[in-house]
Amino acid sequence: MKNESTKRIKDSQVEMTEIVLPQDTNSLGTIFGGRVMQWMDIGAAICGFRHCRTAVVTASVDRLTFLVPLKIGHIVSVRASVNYTAKTSMEIGVRVDSEEPLTGKKQHCSSAYFTFVAVNEAGKPIVVPSVVPVTAEEKRRFEAAKKRRQERLTMREHETRQSRK
Amino acid sequence: MKNESTKRIKDSQVEMTEIVLPQDTNSLGTIFGGRVMQWMDIGAAICGFRHCRTAVVTASVDRLTFLVPLKIGHIVSVRASVNYTAKTSMEIGVRVDSEEPLTGKKQHCSSAYFTFVAVNEAGKPIVVPSVVPVTAEEKRRFEAAKKRRQERLTMREHETRQSRK
Amino acid sequence: MKNESTKRIKDSQVEMTEIVLPQDTNSLGTIFGGRVMQWMDIGAAICGFRHCRTAVVTASVDRLTFLVPLKIGHIVSVRASVNYTAKTSMEIGVRVDSEEPLTGKKQHCSSAYFTFVAVNEAGKPIVVPSVVPVTAEEKRRFEAAKKRRQERLTMREHETRQSRK
Amino acid sequence: MKNESTKRIKDSQVEMTEIVLPQDTNSLGTIFGGRVMQWMDIGAAICGFRHCRTAVVTASVDRLTFLVPLKIGHIVSVRASVNYTAKTSMEIGVRVDSEEPLTGKKQHCSSAYFTFVAVNEAGKPIVVPSVVPVTAEEKRRFEAAKKRRQERLTMREHETRQSRK
Amino acid sequence: MKNESTKRIKDSQVEMTEIVLPQDTNSLGTIFGGRVMQWMDIGAAICGFRHCRTAVVTASVDRLTFLVPLKIGHIVSVRASVNYTAKTSMEIGVRVDSEEPLTGKKQHCSSAYFTFVAVNEAGKPIVVPSVVPVTAEEKRRFEAAKKRRQERLTMREHETRQSRK
Amino acid sequence: MKNESTKRIKDSQVEMTEIVLPQDTNSLGTIFGGRVMQWMDIGAAICGFRHCRTAVVTASVDRLTFLVPLKIGHIVSVRASVNYTAKTSMEIGVRVDSEEPLTGKKQHCSSAYFTFVAVNEAGKPIVVPSVVPVTAEEKRRFEAAKKRRQERLTMREHETRQSRK
C-alpha cells in the first residue's frame, strides 16, 4: 500500500460563508460554541473530501479556541486548508472570521486543528495523497502540524503506559 | 437624495460552500428546489449587505432555473455578485455549481437574478451605492441587468393598465 | 407517447398554513425571503404530485415578488394551483398571504410562477396529464401562463443564438 | 368579566398541508410520533389564535391516537377546529390524514383533543369568545367535548383527594 | 407466542437534559407545546427501545398536561419510565421539569402517559417483555396504569358500539 | 475579587440522552463529527451554568477524539462534569457513549476537555466558584486538568514569544 500521488494544498482549500441566524444563538444573541464547531467540521470535511476524493471521518480536534463571540447577523467566514498528511490521516487547519454586516469590521473568532482519516466503504483507513508544501506559509504550517502530531503520539503512548500500570 | 458613493463589484462578491445533507433531500436523495433557493437568497443577501452596509430585503427573483439536480453528499458552491444598481435597488446574480465529492466533477446547477432593496430601520427604501462595472464580463452583466430591469418595469406598467380596465 | 388523460385544476389545489417562527427570521424579526421560497416550492411540489401522481422536480421560477414582509408570529397561507400544462411540464402559480394573529388583518405577501417537470424513476421527463380550465379565472390564468411559456421559449432561443456567435 | 361575544366555528378552522421529509423520520422511514404532535399543536394554536385573537397556550392534550404510520414522502393534512369553549379555555379537535403521493390513497392517521387557554400579556387566563355550534356535526362535537371536560374535572378532583390522604 | 422474559423498570429509565433554544420558542420567548411533546416522545421511545430491544411505535398519548411554561434558556429535564406492560404494548410515563439556569429553581412543567407498541420489521405487533414492579412507587404506578388501560379499552368499546348504531 | 464559595462536582454533573436521527447523519448513515461536538458543547454549557449560576462561554476545546462512529438510530449518552476550576475559568470533561438500540451494546465514542469562562452581562470574565475534588477519581481528574492548563499556558506564552521575533 504505497501512496505515490501528491496533491497541492491550494486545490482542496475551502471557503464557506454563513450568516448567524437567530436559531444559532442563545438568549443573549451570542452564538453557541457548538454551532461554530459544526461549521468548522463541515468545512474541514469538504477540504478532506477534496484532497482525498474518498470518504473521510473526523478523528480528533485540538486547540480549538474561541477568541471573540459571533453575534446574531454577523457574516461568518470559515476557511479550511490541509496542513499536513500522514499515511492514512491528515491535519486540516480551520479558521473562522466574523464580519460585522453594517461596518464591515472583521475579527478573527476561532481556530482549530482537525485530524481526519480517509476510509473505504467498510470504514477502514486508507492511504491519503500526500501534500507538498510550496509557499513559506505552507511550509511553516506543515512543520508545525508535524510537531503537533508527534506530541499527540507521544502523549497517547504515555497515557497507554500509565493505564497499564 | 443623490448617491455619490460608488463601490467595486468584486468587493461584495460572495462564495458559499455547502454540502447536501439528508435533511435537505426528498425520499429519492435529490435536493428540494426550495432548499437551493434558500441558499441562493442568503448568498445574495450577504452580497447586498456587503455592497450597501445597510439592511437589505428581497424584492423579487427572476429566471431562476434548475439545470441538473443536486444529490445527497454533493459539495455545493453558491456565488453571488452585484450585476446592476438602480436608485434604491440592485440586481444580484447568483449561480450554484455542484461538485461530486469522489470524482470532483463539477456541474452548473442553478442560476437566478435577485432584486434587493436597501432599507433603513423603519423599513423604508434608501439609496444604494452605485457600481461601476470594470471588466468586460462585468460590463456585459450590467447591460443585461439594465435591460431586464426595463422589461420588468414595462411589464408591471402593462399589468397595472390591464387591471384598471 | 400520447397524453389522453385530463384532470381538473381544483383537484390538485393546495392550501398550506404555517406560522412564522423565530428560526425563520433575521435579527429584525422579519422573515428571510429564502424561507418563503422554501414554503412556496413545497406547496407547488405537492400540487404537482397531486396533478401528476408521479415524481416532479422544479425546473424554473419566474416573477417571484415580495410585496410586504412577513413578521414573526404571522399566520401564513400558501396556495398553489396548476395554471397550465405543456407536454412534460406544467406551470403552478403560488400565492402567499399573511394574517396578523391578533387583528386578523390579511395581506398579499408574495407570488410566483413555478415550472415543474414530471419525471420517471430514472429522472427522465414524462407526459403530464393536461388540464382543462373551467372557470373564467382558470381560463384567464391558463392563457397568461401559455403566453409566459412562449416568452420563456423565445428568450431561451435568443440566448442560445447569442452564445453561438 | 362577562363574555358577550360569540364566534362561528368555521371562521377559525385551520387546514395545514405538509410533506414528510427525511428529517422527520426514523431509520425505518416512518415518522416520529413527536413530529406529528408538533404539527398538531401548531395547527391547534393557529385555530386558537383565530378564535380568540389573543395569545393562547396549550394546557393539555387527551386521547391522542396514532392509527397508521406516516411514511417518508406522504402528503399530510392537519385540520383543527374549535369543539367547545369554557370560560377561559377551549377544546380544539385535531385530525391528521395522510395521502400517498403516487396513488392519492388517503388514510386517517391521528386524532387528538387539545385544550388551550387564552392569556393576556402577563400570561394570565382571559375570557375566550364562546362558540355556538350550528351544524349537526358541530353540535355532536360540542356535546362530546363538554362531557370530556366534565370527566377531566372529575378526575382531577379525585386525584387531588387521593393525594390528600 | 408466550412472553417468558421479564425486565426491571429501572433498567430502561431515561433521563434527557435539554436547553430551550430560541428556535424552540414563540415570539414571547415561551416554548411551543409541540416542542415539549417532541422531546417527551423521543424520551419515551428510547425508554421503549431499552425495555423491548425491538422497534417501538407511539400508539397513543393521554392526559398530557402543561403546568408552567418553559422559557428560553431554561434547562429541561425529561424523564421516562415504563409504568405497565400488556401483551404487545406498554405504558410509559414521562415527566418534564424545568431548571432556571441562574437560580437553579426547579418546577414540574409537564407530564403524560404514552402507549407504545413493539413491532417487528413488517410493522406487526410483537410481545413485549413484562415488568415486575418492585418499589412501592413502581407498584402504585403499575396499578394506576392498569386502570387507565382498562378505561381506554372500555371507552373504545363504547365508541365502537355507538358508531355501529 | 476573592472567591470564597466552593461547590461539589456532583452537583453540576449533566447526563443528556439523545438519539441519532437521519438529519444528523451523512449519506452513509454515520453521524457528522460536528453534530456530536454540538451536543458536547451544550452538555458542557449546562454543566457550567449549574456550577456557576451565571452565563458561561466556551473558550477552548482540547483533545477531542472520536473513537467509534455513531450510527443512525443509536442512543447517545453525553455526560459532562467539572474537572478543575481556575479563577474565572473551568475545565469541563465531556464523554459520549453510544448504545445500540436492539442489542444494548455500549461503546465509548468520544471525549473532550472544554474550557468555559464565566461572564457577567457585559461579557466580562467573573470569578467561578471553586471545586473541591472528593473521590479518588475526582482528584485524579483535577490534577490531570491542572497539568493540561499549565501546558496550555506554557504553549501560549511560547507562541507569543515566537510571533514577537
Side-chain angles (χ1 to χ4, degrees):
Chain A
M1 193 166 78
K2 188 160 169 290
N3 177 11
E4 309 199 23
S5 71
T6 65
K7 289 195 179 173
R8 289 185 299 183
I9 288 171
K10 68 175 184 176
D11 288 344
S12 58
Q13 282 172 333
V14 172
E15 172 148 10
M16 291 163 67
T17 309
E18 305 280 345
I19 197 162
V20 182
L21 303 177
Q23 71 202 70
D24 303 323
T25 60
N26 58 28
S27 51
L28 301 171
T30 307
I31 205 169
F32 278 100
R35 186 62 175 126
V36 181
M37 290 185 214
Q38 205 174 26
W39 283 333
M40 293 173 108
D41 183 63
I42 288 178
I46 294 174
C47 182
F49 278 133
R50 284 185 172 161
H51 182 70
C52 300
R53 295 298 174 198
T54 63
V56 296
V57 295
T58 318
S60 63
V61 185
D62 284 281
R63 301 197 199 171
L64 198 163
T65 52
F66 293 99
L67 307 169
V68 293
L70 277 164
K71 292 193 177 157
I72 205 168
H74 276 191
I75 299 165
V76 186
S77 155
V78 179
R79 279 172 294 170
S81 184
V82 176
N83 285 337
Y84 178 80
T85 49
K87 196 175 177 189
T88 61
S89 70
M90 61 202 140
E91 189 195 276
I92 295 172
V94 185
R95 178 185 165 127
V96 179
D97 290 89
S98 71
E99 177 183 338
E100 210 282 318
L102 300 186
T103 63
K105 184 190 170 194
K106 290 180 188 178
Q107 281 189 291
H108 179 198
C109 286
S110 187
S111 286
Y113 304 115
F114 281 70
T115 301
F116 274 78
V117 171
V119 292
N120 62 15
E121 290 184 7
K124 296 295 168 201
I126 53 177
V127 170
V128 306
S130 52
V131 288
V132 178
V134 176
T135 69
E137 178 69 11
E138 286 175 2
K139 283 175 184 165
R140 189 189 60 72
R141 286 182 185 166
F142 186 89
E143 290 306 322
K146 191 175 180 178
K147 201 178 147 210
R148 275 189 294 274
R149 180 174 143 82
Q150 198 51 56
E151 285 168 7
R152 274 195 295 269
L153 294 178
T154 307
M155 195 159 61
R156 227 171 287 163
E157 197 182 333
H158 177 72
E159 284 169 356
T160 312
R161 273 188 203 157
Q162 288 292 99
S163 66
R164 270 199 212 116
K165 287 179 189 173
Chain B
M1 191 165 78
K2 190 164 166 290
N3 177 9
E4 309 198 24
S5 72
T6 63
K7 289 196 180 171
R8 289 184 300 182
I9 289 172
K10 67 175 186 175
D11 288 344
S12 59
Q13 281 173 334
V14 172
E15 172 149 10
M16 290 164 66
T17 309
E18 303 281 346
I19 197 162
V20 182
L21 302 178
Q23 72 202 71
D24 303 323
T25 61
N26 58 28
S27 50
L28 300 171
T30 307
I31 205 169
F32 279 99
R35 185 64 175 125
V36 181
M37 290 186 212
Q38 205 175 27
W39 283 332
M40 293 172 109
D41 183 64
I42 288 177
I46 294 174
C47 182
F49 278 132
R50 284 186 173 160
H51 182 70
C52 301
R53 296 295 174 201
T54 62
V56 296
V57 296
T58 318
S60 64
V61 186
D62 283 281
R63 302 196 198 171
L64 197 163
T65 52
F66 293 99
L67 307 169
V68 292
L70 276 164
K71 291 193 178 157
I72 203 168
H74 276 191
I75 298 165
V76 186
S77 156
V78 179
R79 277 172 295 171
S81 184
V82 176
N83 285 337
Y84 178 81
T85 49
K87 196 173 175 187
T88 61
S89 71
M90 60 200 141
E91 190 195 277
I92 295 172
V94 185
R95 179 185 164 126
V96 179
D97 290 88
S98 71
E99 177 184 339
E100 210 283 316
L102 301 187
T103 63
K105 184 189 170 193
K106 291 180 186 178
Q107 282 189 290
H108 179 197
C109 286
S110 186
S111 286
Y113 303 115
F114 281 71
T115 300
F116 274 79
V117 171
V119 292
N120 62 16
E121 289 184 9
K124 297 294 168 201
I126 53 176
V127 170
V128 307
S130 53
V131 288
V132 178
V134 177
T135 69
E137 178 69 10
E138 286 175 2
K139 284 175 183 166
R140 191 189 59 73
R141 286 182 184 165
F142 185 90
E143 290 306 321
K146 191 175 180 178
K147 201 178 146 212
R148 276 189 295 271
R149 179 175 145 81
Q150 197 52 54
E151 285 167 7
R152 274 195 295 268
L153 294 178
T154 308
M155 196 159 62
R156 227 170 287 164
E157 198 182 331
H158 178 72
E159 284 170 357
T160 311
R161 274 187 202 155
Q162 288 292 101
S163 66
R164 270 197 213 117
K165 288 179 189 172
Chain C
M1 191 165 77
K2 187 160 169 292
N3 177 10
E4 309 198 24
S5 72
T6 65
K7 289 196 179 172
R8 289 185 300 182
I9 288 172
K10 67 174 185 175
D11 288 344
S12 58
Q13 280 171 335
V14 172
E15 172 149 9
M16 289 164 66
T17 309
E18 302 282 344
I19 196 162
V20 181
L21 302 178
Q23 71 202 69
D24 303 323
T25 61
N26 58 28
S27 51
L28 301 171
T30 306
I31 205 169
F32 279 99
R35 185 63 175 125
V36 180
M37 291 186 212
Q38 205 175 27
W39 284 332
M40 292 173 109
D41 183 64
I42 288 178
I46 295 173
C47 182
F49 277 133
R50 283 186 172 160
H51 182 69
C52 301
R53 296 296 175 199
T54 62
V56 296
V57 296
T58 318
S60 64
V61 185
D62 283 281
R63 301 196 199 172
L64 197 162
T65 52
F66 293 100
L67 307 169
V68 293
L70 276 164
K71 292 195 178 157
I72 204 167
H74 276 191
I75 298 165
V76 185
S77 156
V78 179
R79 279 172 293 171
S81 184
V82 176
N83 285 337
Y84 177 81
T85 49
K87 196 174 175 188
T88 61
S89 70
M90 61 200 140
E91 189 195 276
I92 295 172
V94 184
R95 178 185 165 126
V96 179
D97 291 87
S98 70
E99 177 183 338
E100 209 282 317
L102 300 187
T103 63
K105 184 190 171 194
K106 290 179 188 179
Q107 281 189 291
H108 179 197
C109 286
S110 187
S111 285
Y113 303 115
F114 281 70
T115 301
F116 274 78
V117 171
V119 292
N120 63 15
E121 290 184 7
K124 297 294 168 201
I126 53 176
V127 170
V128 306
S130 53
V131 288
V132 178
V134 176
T135 69
E137 177 69 10
E138 287 176 2
K139 284 174 184 166
R140 189 189 61 73
R141 286 182 185 165
F142 186 90
E143 290 306 322
K146 192 176 180 176
K147 201 178 146 209
R148 275 189 296 271
R149 179 174 145 82
Q150 198 52 54
E151 286 168 8
R152 274 195 296 268
L153 294 177
T154 307
M155 196 160 62
R156 228 171 286 165
E157 199 181 330
H158 178 72
E159 284 170 358
T160 311
R161 274 188 201 156
Q162 288 292 99
S163 66
R164 271 199 211 115
K165 288 178 189 175
Chain D
M1 191 166 80
K2 188 161 168 293
N3 177 11
E4 310 198 23
S5 72
T6 64
K7 289 195 180 173
R8 289 184 302 183
I9 288 172
K10 66 175 186 176
D11 287 345
S12 58
Q13 281 172 335
V14 173
E15 172 149 10
M16 291 164 66
T17 309
E18 303 281 346
I19 197 161
V20 182
L21 303 176
Q23 72 202 70
D24 304 322
T25 61
N26 59 28
S27 51
L28 301 170
T30 307
I31 205 169
F32 278 99
R35 186 64 175 125
V36 180
M37 290 186 212
Q38 205 174 27
W39 284 332
M40 293 174 108
D41 183 63
I42 288 177
I46 294 174
C47 182
F49 277 133
R50 284 185 171 161
H51 182 70
C52 302
R53 294 297 174 198
T54 62
V56 296
V57 295
T58 318
S60 63
V61 186
D62 284 280
R63 301 197 199 172
L64 198 163
T65 52
F66 293 99
L67 306 169
V68 293
L70 276 164
K71 291 191 179 159
I72 204 167
H74 276 190
I75 299 165
V76 185
S77 155
V78 179
R79 279 174 292 170
S81 185
V82 176
N83 285 337
Y84 178 81
T85 50
K87 196 175 176 189
T88 60
S89 71
M90 61 202 140
E91 190 195 275
I92 295 173
V94 184
R95 179 185 165 127
V96 179
D97 290 88
S98 70
E99 178 184 338
E100 210 282 317
L102 301 186
T103 63
K105 184 188 170 194
K106 290 180 187 178
Q107 281 188 293
H108 179 198
C109 286
S110 187
S111 286
Y113 303 117
F114 281 70
T115 301
F116 273 78
V117 171
V119 292
N120 62 16
E121 290 185 7
K124 296 295 168 201
I126 53 177
V127 170
V128 306
S130 51
V131 288
V132 178
V134 176
T135 68
E137 178 69 10
E138 286 176 3
K139 284 176 183 165
R140 188 189 62 72
R141 285 183 186 165
F142 186 90
E143 290 305 322
K146 191 175 180 178
K147 201 178 147 210
R148 275 189 295 272
R149 180 174 144 82
Q150 198 51 56
E151 285 168 8
R152 274 195 295 269
L153 294 177
T154 307
M155 196 159 62
R156 226 171 286 164
E157 198 182 330
H158 177 71
E159 283 170 357
T160 311
R161 274 188 201 156
Q162 288 294 99
S163 67
R164 272 200 211 114
K165 288 177 189 174
Chain E
M1 192 165 78
K2 188 161 167 291
N3 177 8
E4 308 197 26
S5 71
T6 65
K7 288 196 181 173
R8 289 184 300 181
I9 288 171
K10 68 175 185 175
D11 288 345
S12 59
Q13 281 172 333
V14 172
E15 172 148 10
M16 290 164 66
T17 308
E18 303 281 346
I19 197 162
V20 182
L21 303 177
Q23 71 202 71
D24 303 323
T25 61
N26 58 29
S27 51
L28 302 171
T30 307
I31 205 169
F32 278 99
R35 185 65 175 123
V36 180
M37 290 186 214
Q38 205 175 26
W39 283 332
M40 292 173 108
D41 183 63
I42 288 178
I46 295 174
C47 182
F49 278 133
R50 284 186 172 161
H51 182 70
C52 301
R53 295 297 173 199
T54 63
V56 296
V57 295
T58 318
S60 63
V61 185
D62 285 280
R63 303 195 198 172
L64 197 162
T65 52
F66 292 100
L67 307 170
V68 292
L70 276 163
K71 292 193 177 157
I72 205 168
H74 276 192
I75 299 165
V76 186
S77 155
V78 179
R79 278 172 293 171
S81 183
V82 177
N83 285 336
Y84 178 81
T85 49
K87 197 174 176 188
T88 62
S89 71
M90 60 202 140
E91 189 194 278
I92 294 173
V94 184
R95 178 184 165 128
V96 178
D97 290 87
S98 71
E99 178 184 336
E100 210 282 316
L102 299 187
T103 63
K105 184 189 170 195
K106 290 179 187 179
Q107 281 189 293
H108 179 198
C109 286
S110 187
S111 286
Y113 304 115
F114 281 70
T115 301
F116 274 78
V117 170
V119 292
N120 62 16
E121 291 184 8
K124 296 295 168 200
I126 53 176
V127 170
V128 305
S130 52
V131 288
V132 179
V134 176
T135 68
E137 179 69 11
E138 286 175 1
K139 284 175 183 166
R140 190 188 61 72
R141 286 181 185 166
F142 186 89
E143 290 306 322
K146 191 176 180 178
K147 201 178 147 210
R148 275 189 296 271
R149 180 174 145 82
Q150 198 52 54
E151 285 167 7
R152 276 195 294 268
L153 295 178
T154 307
M155 197 159 60
R156 226 171 288 163
E157 198 182 332
H158 177 73
E159 285 169 357
T160 311
R161 274 188 202 158
Q162 289 292 98
S163 66
R164 272 199 211 116
K165 289 178 189 173
Chain F
M1 191 166 78
K2 187 161 169 292
N3 177 9
E4 309 198 24
S5 72
T6 64
K7 289 196 180 173
R8 289 184 300 182
I9 289 172
K10 68 175 185 176
D11 288 344
S12 59
Q13 283 172 333
V14 172
E15 172 149 11
M16 290 164 67
T17 309
E18 303 281 345
I19 197 162
V20 182
L21 302 177
Q23 71 202 70
D24 304 322
T25 61
N26 58 28
S27 51
L28 301 170
T30 307
I31 204 169
F32 279 99
R35 186 64 174 125
V36 180
M37 290 187 211
Q38 205 175 25
W39 283 333
M40 292 173 109
D41 183 63
I42 288 178
I46 295 174
C47 182
F49 278 133
R50 284 186 172 160
H51 182 70
C52 301
R53 296 296 175 199
T54 63
V56 296
V57 295
T58 318
S60 64
V61 185
D62 284 281
R63 302 197 198 170
L64 196 162
T65 52
F66 293 99
L67 307 170
V68 292
L70 276 163
K71 292 192 177 157
I72 204 168
H74 275 192
I75 299 165
V76 185
S77 156
V78 179
R79 278 173 292 170
S81 183
V82 175
N83 285 337
Y84 178 81
T85 50
K87 196 173 177 188
T88 61
S89 71
M90 61 202 140
E91 190 195 276
I92 295 172
V94 184
R95 178 185 166 127
V96 178
D97 290 87
S98 71
E99 178 183 337
E100 210 283 317
L102 301 186
T103 62
K105 184 189 170 194
K106 291 179 187 177
Q107 280 189 292
H108 179 198
C109 286
S110 187
S111 285
Y113 304 115
F114 281 69
T115 301
F116 274 79
V117 171
V119 292
N120 63 15
E121 290 185 7
K124 295 296 168 201
I126 53 175
V127 170
V128 305
S130 53
V131 288
V132 178
V134 175
T135 69
E137 178 69 11
E138 287 175 1
K139 284 176 183 166
R140 189 188 62 72
R141 287 182 184 165
F142 185 90
E143 290 306 322
K146 191 175 179 179
K147 201 177 147 211
R148 276 189 295 272
R149 179 174 145 83
Q150 198 51 55
E151 285 167 7
R152 275 194 295 268
L153 294 178
T154 307
M155 197 158 62
R156 227 171 285 163
E157 199 182 332
H158 178 71
E159 285 169 355
T160 311
R161 275 188 202 156
Q162 289 292 100
S163 67
R164 270 197 213 117
K165 288 177 190 173

